[in-house]
Amino acid sequence: MSTDRIAAVSRNTKETQITVRVNLDGTGEAKLNTGIGFFDHMLDQIARHGLIDLDIQAVGDLHIDGHHTVEDVGITLGLAVAQAVGDKKGLTRYGHSYVPLDEALSRVVIDFSGRPGLEMDVKFTAGSIGAFDTQLAFEFFQGFSNHALVSLHIDNLKGHNAHHQCETIFKAFGRALRMAMTLDPRSIGTIPSTKGSL
């Protein structure tokens, strides 16, 4: 099984300049600078709980708002993960996780299907957490799913505190991602699909 699942992707537009480096077989180390403190905190959850080494450097038009930065980080991270995963041989493919934080509980399920799609049912109890607009959580995960080519289901099952709601989502995403991207020693060299391709 390959242990070299590393990728670096840069994406530059008139709105954002973003570089993402990932090591899918890392230890959860993160270097993050998006200009949005709470968003960096959430990306750190993905790294830590996904055991992914993650370096994200982003410069965006934050004088307008955080929309372009958050969405484009999702897009660029999705591209990097897709590149690092490669041909998907030996991949577990599916991952799921339930994560609680005090009163909040979220569930995330992911499939490296090659067919992008996001189903997200989260009713945040606040419109913003620090400088992070909670609507942008959807934009981040949609950007990721569309470019990592994954099917992604995200549900916040309980929660009154928006910080807790959001944190359980990102932690559960990291754990589900980790499970799905784990290489299965019983499936070395095979694509986890009856179609023979993903």
Side-chain angles (χ1 to χ4, degrees):
M1 290 183 291
S2 171
T3 57
D4 187 23
R5 299 196 299 167
I6 297 170
V9 174
S10 292
R11 186 175 189 272
N12 296 304
T13 72
K14 291 181 179 179
E15 297 167 340
T16 61
Q17 296 81 50
I18 297 169
T19 299
V20 172
R21 296 177 180 85
V22 296
N23 177 358
L24 303 186
D25 302 301
T27 59
E29 292 296 316
K31 291 196 295 186
L32 307 164
N33 184 15
T34 66
I36 305 171
F38 183 77
F39 186 40
D40 286 350
H41 180 47
M42 292 301 98
L43 294 170
D44 196 23
Q45 304 306 321
I46 296 173
R48 189 68 52 88
H49 295 281
L51 289 181
I52 302 165
D53 290 346
L54 194 55
D55 183 343
I56 298 178
Q57 304 300 315
V59 176
D61 52 3
L62 297 181
H63 62 286
I64 297 173
D65 67 8
H67 190 119
H68 299 139
T69 298
V70 173
E71 180 179 25
D72 290 1
V73 166
I75 290 169
T76 312
L77 179 59
L79 291 168
V81 167
Q83 182 177 315
V85 163
D87 62 12
K88 303 179 188 175
K89 288 182 179 177
L91 205 66
T92 297
R93 176 177 169 176
Y94 301 101
H96 64 273
S97 181
Y98 286 81
V99 169
L101 175 56
D102 296 343
E103 88 298 344
L105 174 66
S106 292
R107 175 185 60 214
V108 174
V109 184
I110 191 168
D111 175 14
F112 274 81
S113 61
R115 297 183 306 279
L118 172 64
E119 290 292 331
M120 185 168 171
D121 186 5
V122 180
K123 297 174 179 64
F124 284 109
T125 59
S128 62
I129 308 165
F132 182 79
D133 180 345
T134 52
Q135 294 182 90
L136 299 184
F138 178 91
E139 303 302 331
F140 169 79
F141 287 115
Q142 180 161 263
F144 178 86
S145 63
N146 285 345
H147 292 82
L149 302 179
V150 300
S151 176
L152 184 59
H153 289 251
I154 299 172
D155 295 280
N156 174 238
L157 305 175
K158 296 179 180 179
H160 303 297
N161 181 291
H163 186 130
H164 294 171
Q165 289 176 293
C166 202
E167 190 163 332
T168 57
I169 289 164
F170 276 83
K171 284 179 175 176
F173 174 71
R175 294 287 300 188
L177 198 58
R178 174 179 167 186
M179 180 188 291
M181 294 189 305
T182 295
L183 295 171
D184 185 345
R186 297 176 61 197
S187 300
I188 296 172
T190 63
I191 300 289
S193 171
T194 54
K195 291 196 262 315
S197 65
L198 286 171

